Amino acid sequence: MTSTEPTTAPAPAGGEGDSIVRKLSTLDRYLAVWILLAMAVGLGLGRLIPGMNDALASIEISGISLPIALGLLVMMYPVLAKVRYDRLDRVTGDRKLMVSSLVINWIVGPAVMFALAWLFLPDLPEYRTGLIIVGLARCIAMVIIWNDLACGDREAAAVLVALNSVFQVLAFGLLGWFYLDLLPRWMNLGDGQGLDVSVWHIALNVVIFLGIPLLAGFLTRRVGERRMGRAGYEATFLPRIGPWALYGLLFTIVILFALQGRTITSQPLDVARIALPLLVYFAVMFFGTFLLGKGLGLAYDRTTTLAFTAAGNNFELAIAVAIATFGVTSGQALSGVVGPLIEVPVLIGLVHVALAWRRRFAPDAVTTAP
């Protein structure tokens, strides 16, 4: 990740797409392998070490796991330190991108997950509700990593994630009432359910998982450029902190799966039932949004950013809400846990798909930075 610059590299043509992979460091090139190993280690720790998941789960503040928070902060900081904040106005002025992101994330995404949950799990209301909650929790953390690996637009990712954060505070509770209570009763699908979640809890989630690393990244670039100049900052400092983003990602995955290792491994058939609609969801959201971006004439980097912000979900918020409302051993909580189990390997696979598609964009369709 430290050797690629999404906003400056021209679109490769023909077989040149393979050069992207060759330029990656060993850590980046075999990221899928490290992620699978991290998942296996986490599942093994949670399954084999008595009390491991209970010990990790006890380290929290206001329902937010401190180990996971630490991993996400370490993961997001280096990427946000790379963002050129003086260019954010170029993103906010792109109405196609901004409007498309809002519609896809807050109208299309929840509706697609609601439909898939009822289609695939009509007889399992607890799992169905958990999936709907996952669909309501739009991504504000890991999407930054996937976007960076796929050579997306960093500045656009920062803006869209911040936009998602604002709407998450304002709309999460309202959409939860609509999709879990009002709509099922209106469609005669059964009695509705409510969510026990406060605006304060959602706001705290946003502050921790976005606000802190965003502020740290902004201040780091501001101070770094003053002392070293932009060229020195990007050539000397950023390569040093770059690998920590993936270290944080792997640490987060280990902790997440250690927390729920016993639950996941003890209910394989239930996990498979939950996984199927999730796979369809990620495919529909990513490929549909990617095609939309291309149809709107967006450059590759912004199309990629739009697609990943549409496909990703805030699993930490979804799990926390499910546990707070329905209990740690509930089916709703299990659906939240299965979310990242499927999302992590699927989205790292979609990173490779996006890089392969990069060559299909015209050379002048990739945003270039002076």
Side-chain angles (χ1 to χ4, degrees):
M1 186 168 68
T2 59
S3 59
T4 57
E5 289 295 330
T7 58
T8 59
E16 293 180 11
D18 295 336
S19 64
I20 297 174
V21 176
R22 289 196 298 269
K23 290 179 181 179
L24 295 175
S25 67
T26 301
L27 180 64
D28 293 339
R29 191 179 305 160
Y30 299 105
L31 180 59
V33 176
W34 310 139
I35 285 178
L36 291 175
L37 287 175
M39 293 169 64
V41 169
L43 289 172
L45 290 174
R47 181 73 182 181
L48 300 176
I49 300 180
M52 166 70 78
N53 53 350
D54 294 332
L56 291 173
S58 65
I59 310 174
E60 64 175 36
I61 295 178
S62 298
I64 295 176
S65 168
L66 292 184
I68 291 179
L70 175 62
L72 289 174
L73 293 177
V74 173
M75 176 190 76
M76 294 177 67
Y77 165 68
V79 180
L80 290 171
K82 294 178 181 180
V83 172
R84 295 180 176 179
Y85 292 92
D86 57 341
R87 296 181 175 176
L88 295 185
D89 59 334
R90 300 183 183 183
V91 179
T92 56
D94 189 339
R95 293 186 178 181
K96 288 182 180 179
L97 180 70
M98 301 291 284
V99 173
S100 297
S101 179
L102 285 176
V103 171
I104 292 168
N105 274 287
W106 296 102
I107 297 178
V108 177
V112 169
M113 187 67 89
F114 175 85
L116 291 174
W118 276 97
L119 180 64
F120 284 91
L121 302 171
D123 57 329
L124 297 171
E126 289 190 0
Y127 297 158
R128 184 177 64 237
T129 297
L131 279 183
I132 293 172
I133 294 174
V134 170
L136 298 179
R138 312 312 299 170
C139 194
I140 64 170
M142 278 194 178
V143 68
I144 291 178
I145 285 287
W146 311 134
N147 176 75
D148 209 48
L149 289 171
C151 297
D153 187 318
R154 289 179 187 142
E155 287 71 36
V159 170
L160 296 186
V161 164
L163 194 64
N164 270 353
S165 299
V166 172
F167 273 79
Q168 198 151 256
V169 174
L170 298 176
F172 185 90
L174 179 62
L175 288 176
W177 166 76
F178 178 77
Y179 282 107
L180 295 176
D181 187 8
L182 179 64
L183 191 57
R185 288 191 286 107
W186 180 67
M187 298 178 66
N188 294 320
L189 296 174
D191 295 332
Q193 294 181 312
L195 287 182
D196 181 19
V197 57
S198 67
V199 172
W200 158 248
H201 179 79
I202 299 173
L204 180 63
N205 187 279
V206 169
V207 167
I208 291 178
F209 295 130
L210 178 63
I212 293 176
L214 185 62
L215 179 62
F218 172 78
L219 293 177
T220 298
R221 176 169 278 276
R222 193 72 177 267
V223 173
E225 287 190 354
R226 283 182 179 178
R227 293 185 176 181
M228 308 168 63
R230 171 162 290 185
Y233 174 81
E234 295 185 347
T236 305
F237 180 74
L238 290 183
R240 292 179 180 176
I241 65 171
W244 284 95
L246 298 187
Y247 299 153
L249 172 64
L250 297 176
F251 174 80
T252 302
I253 292 171
V254 170
I255 295 299
L256 180 65
F257 287 99
L259 277 167
Q260 303 293 340
R262 186 171 296 276
T263 301
I264 292 173
T265 56
S266 63
Q267 303 180 59
L269 294 180
D270 289 348
V271 169
R273 287 286 306 270
I274 298 168
L276 187 56
L278 280 170
L279 287 171
V280 177
Y281 172 82
F282 292 132
V284 169
M285 293 302 293
F286 180 84
F287 292 111
T289 305
F290 206 100
L291 292 174
L292 173 65
K294 199 171 190 310
L296 290 173
L298 296 178
Y300 165 82
D301 48 7
R302 291 192 176 176
T303 297
T304 297
T305 300
L306 186 65
F308 277 106
T309 52
N313 294 92
N314 186 351
F315 60 83
E316 172 64 15
L317 176 61
I319 294 172
V321 169
I323 290 175
T325 305
F326 303 103
V328 68
T329 60
S330 66
Q332 292 88 341
L334 179 60
S335 290
V337 171
V338 174
L341 174 69
I342 305 303
E343 177 176 331
V344 169
V346 167
L347 290 191
I348 191 59
L350 291 175
V351 167
H352 292 282
V353 171
L355 289 174
W357 280 2
R358 192 170 183 247
R359 73 189 65 168
R360 294 180 180 274
F361 280 73
D364 59 349
V366 177
T367 301
T368 57

